[in-house]
């Protein structure tokens, strides 16, 4: 019994000693089985596009699906904005990212569509048997055989036709006494497509032909042979199908967005891979009135002359249509740069360089299509570069990295406002600037004199131009703006005027962010030391700081917090990234 107890103690001791040694080898660290995140010293991460939770510091394959991992960026690069996606040069090369400069000009007036060649259905002829009989001879042995008009195709033996010939010969003997019967017999043969020449030959020879030939009444290519030697055919049986390929259809697919640029009668040129560098001409003759619900495309048909039968049905083509919108001009970007999200679409603007690529997601407003380009109404400036190839890869990387993307767009604070109201609001902002400048000079009397012109311009801002929510917001802002102007005009104390100026500025900033400005860029500036370190904002038309809350005492104290550009929308702080400070709140 004592010996068993000693053995048990030895076993427990060995297990404990093994556990201690194992802990020492692991260094006391735990490695959860689900942990897949590894970041190197430079912070470059590789992730799986299908399983974004998989991240590591070197290229490889996803342990879940086996897809190649792609680099998504540098975590130590000091991200400055949720709109900007920073990626590695390797990722740019892997995604084949290319950029195009935004240029002002007129569109090419050309629209590129793809499709294929089809036989002209108006030139398809089905050759049928005019009388019943047996196929004794066949001169067309395979489909694709070319035939000429009048060429012999087959020979038939027809008992009906034999009897009809006998009737003709008998009635020909009594045609003087019974001409009507004679004519009726001939008409019977004519209805079977027996020619006058053949009828005359039967009468003159006095012999009954047991076989009759079938001739092609059109020229073309045999696309179907439905009979064989020895087959018995009835009247109306389709024996051959012949297509005239001297004129063919070019069938193209156009998306809904393309339809506004295509008209009946537009000229087009197209190419086929069989003849590199050779251009064929055609003209749009038909636009399908029905949209294909599966592909969301509309069929466009053009007709082309097919010299030497170079164009074969089912050949793929790439066509350029000279559209009716060639005269439009303005800022242009290629359609491949646009991510469609509704009235305001998304593009990625290049912000970095070759060594440190970075791209900013930006909402823009686009106009009509001009060839392969689109007009830009707002959101971009000439000279900027937008991603024209690889845009989906950048957007996917931004989404995986928690940045704003096409699918996770921030809430926009700026409302759709009539242009006339924006002009009136901008005019009031221009009258606000002299108030700010007078306070910069710490001149109470000069400040009071600026109020009357500002109130006069404010009275001209027509609230009737706004509707529903926009009208209510303006009314809530208008009251404190009017009250602040009145109190500034009634005070001779510059410090008291500055308190009311802050209220005026706060509400005017809200108005700018909700309704926008035209023509001039406005800067929202901030002094953290105003009103005993509580801080205060103001608006300025210049980027240079001129502090209205301290004047000469601390003239340059402050910084630019926001830039309001004409046509550029302001993002609401209540968007999908609460940890990022954008916009302005009071």
């Amino acid at each position: 019994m004592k010996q068993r107890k000693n053995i048990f103690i030895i076993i427990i001791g060995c297990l404990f000693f093994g556990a201690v040694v194992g802990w020492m080898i692991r260094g006391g660290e735990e490695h959860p089985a689900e942990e897949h995140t590894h970041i190197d010293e430079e912070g470059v991460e590789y992730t799986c596009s299908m399983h974004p939770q998989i991240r590591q510091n070197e290229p490889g394959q996803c342990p879940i699906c086996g897809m190649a991992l792609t680099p998504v960026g540098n975590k130590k690069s000091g991200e400055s904005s949720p709109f900007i996606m920073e990626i590695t040069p390797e990722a740019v090369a892997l995604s084949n990212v290319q950029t195009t400069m935004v240029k002002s000009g007129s569109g090419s007036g050309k629209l590129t569509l793809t499709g294929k060649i089809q036989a002209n259905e108006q030139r398809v002829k089905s050759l049928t048997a005019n009388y019943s009989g047996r196929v004794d001879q066949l001169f067309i042995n395979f489909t694709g055989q070319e035939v000429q008009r009048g060429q012999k195709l087959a020979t038939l033996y027809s008992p009906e036709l034999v009897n009809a010939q006998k009737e003709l010969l008998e009635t020909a003997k009594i045609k003087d006494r019974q001409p009507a019967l004679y004519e009726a017999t001939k008409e019977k043969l004519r209805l079977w497509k027996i020619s006058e020449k053949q009828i005359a030959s039967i009468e003159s020879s006095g012999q009954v032909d047991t076989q009759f030939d079938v001739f092609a009444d059109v020229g073309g290519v045999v696309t179907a042979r439905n009979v064989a030697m020895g087959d018995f055919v009835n009247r109306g049986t389709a024996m051959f199908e012949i297509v005239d390929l001297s004129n063919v259809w070019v069938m193209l697919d156009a998306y809904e967005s393309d339809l506004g640029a295509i008209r009946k009668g537009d000229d087009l040129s197209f190419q086929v891979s069989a003849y590199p560098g050779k251009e064929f001409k055609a003209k749009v003759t038909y636009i399908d009135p029905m949209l294909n619900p599966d592909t969301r495309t509309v069929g466009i048909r053009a007709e082309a002359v097919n010299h030497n039968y170079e164009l074969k049905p089912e050949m793929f083509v790439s066509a350029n249509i000279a559209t009716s919108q060639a005269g439009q001009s303005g800022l242009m970007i290629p359609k491949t740069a646009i991510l469609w999200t509704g009235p305001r679409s998304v593009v990625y603007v290049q912000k970095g360089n070759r060594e440190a690529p970075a791209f900013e997601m930006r909402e823009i407003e686009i106009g009509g299509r001009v060839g392969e380009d689109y007009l830009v109404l707002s959101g971009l400036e000439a000279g900027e570069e937008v991603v024209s190839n690889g845009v989906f890869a950048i957007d996917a990387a931004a989404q995986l990295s928690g940045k704003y993307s096409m699918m996770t767009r921030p809430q926009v604070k700026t409302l759709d406002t009539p242009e006339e109201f924006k002009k009136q609001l901008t005019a009031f902002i221009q009258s606000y600037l002299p108030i700010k400048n007078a306070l910069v000079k710490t001149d109470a009397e000069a400040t009071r004199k600026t109020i009357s012109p500002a109130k006069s311009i404010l009275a001209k801002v027509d609230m009737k131009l706004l509707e529903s929510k926009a009208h209510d917001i303006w009314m809530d802002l208008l009251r404190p703006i009017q009250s602040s102007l009145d109190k500034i005009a009634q005070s001779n104390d510059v410090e008291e005027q500055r308190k009311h100026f802050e209220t005026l500025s706060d509400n005017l900033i809200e108005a700018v962010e909700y309704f926008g400005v035209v023509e001039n860029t406005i800067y929202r500036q901030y002094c953290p030391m105003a009103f005993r370190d509580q801080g205060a904002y103001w608006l300025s038309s210049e980027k240079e700081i001129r502090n209205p809350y301290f004047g000469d005492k601390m003239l340059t104290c402050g910084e630019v917090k926001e830039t309001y550009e004409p046509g550029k929308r302001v993002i609401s702080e209540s968007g999908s990234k609460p940890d990022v400070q954008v916009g302005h709140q009071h």
Side-chain angles (χ1 to χ4, degrees), residues 120-295:
N120 188 334
E121 293 177 6
Q122 297 171 333
R123 293 173 177 258
V124 177
K125 174 71 173 180
S126 184
L127 192 62
T128 60
N130 296 315
Y131 40 83
S132 60
R134 184 184 66 239
V135 179
D136 279 354
Q137 286 184 292
L138 199 61
F139 301 103
I140 300 300
N141 300 314
F142 57 90
T143 58
Q145 190 171 345
E146 189 174 343
V147 298
Q148 303 296 325
R149 183 183 178 91
Q151 182 176 335
K152 188 188 297 185
L153 303 180
T155 299
L156 298 183
Y157 166 74
S158 174
E160 289 182 359
L161 196 55
V162 170
N163 292 332
Q165 292 178 80
K166 291 179 179 179
E167 290 177 6
L168 175 64
L169 294 177
E170 292 298 326
T171 55
K173 298 175 182 178
I174 57 173
K175 63 181 178 180
D176 294 334
R177 299 193 305 270
Q178 296 186 11
L181 182 60
Y182 171 68
E183 286 298 325
T185 305
K186 290 177 65 176
E187 185 62 25
K188 183 179 180 180
L189 292 171
R190 293 190 191 104
L191 292 175
W192 285 345
K193 302 296 182 182
I194 305 299
S195 66
E196 292 290 344
K197 183 178 179 181
Q198 289 174 306
I199 294 173
S201 176
I202 295 170
E203 282 191 65
S204 62
S205 66
Q207 300 294 322
V208 174
D209 291 332
T210 58
Q211 292 181 327
F212 271 82
D213 296 326
V214 178
F215 298 94
D217 52 3
V218 293
V221 175
V222 176
T223 58
R225 180 176 67 86
N226 302 320
V227 293
M229 188 87 71
D231 285 352
F232 189 88
V233 296
N234 294 313
R235 184 178 182 182
T237 299
M239 300 175 63
F240 306 98
E241 196 167 275
I242 301 174
V243 178
D244 180 6
L245 294 179
S246 61
N247 183 285
V248 293
W249 282 350
V250 182
M251 302 299 297
L252 305 170
D253 293 322
Y255 289 101
E256 292 179 72
S257 56
D258 300 330
L259 292 180
I262 304 173
R263 297 288 184 273
K264 230 177 177 182
D266 284 346
D267 293 319
L268 66 83
S269 60
F270 64 93
Q271 293 182 330
V272 295
S273 57
Y275 309 104
K278 185 172 183 178
E279 263 195 1
F280 299 87
K281 302 293 183 181
K283 187 181 289 289
V284 176
T285 58
Y286 177 77
I287 299 175
D288 198 327
M290 302 295 291
L291 184 75
N292 187 320
D294 297 324
T295 61

Side-chain angles (χ1 to χ4, degrees), residues 59 63 75 85 142 144 160 262 270 287 319 341 375 394 402 463 479 519 538-539 553 559 561:
K75 291 294 181 181
M85 179 62 199
F142 57 90
E160 289 182 359
I262 304 173
F270 64 93
I287 299 175
T341 59
L375 287 169
I394 293 177
M463 66 183 71
R479 297 184 188 94
E519 298 178 359
W538 72 92
L539 293 174
K553 294 180 181 179
E559 60 181 326
K561 286 291 188 180

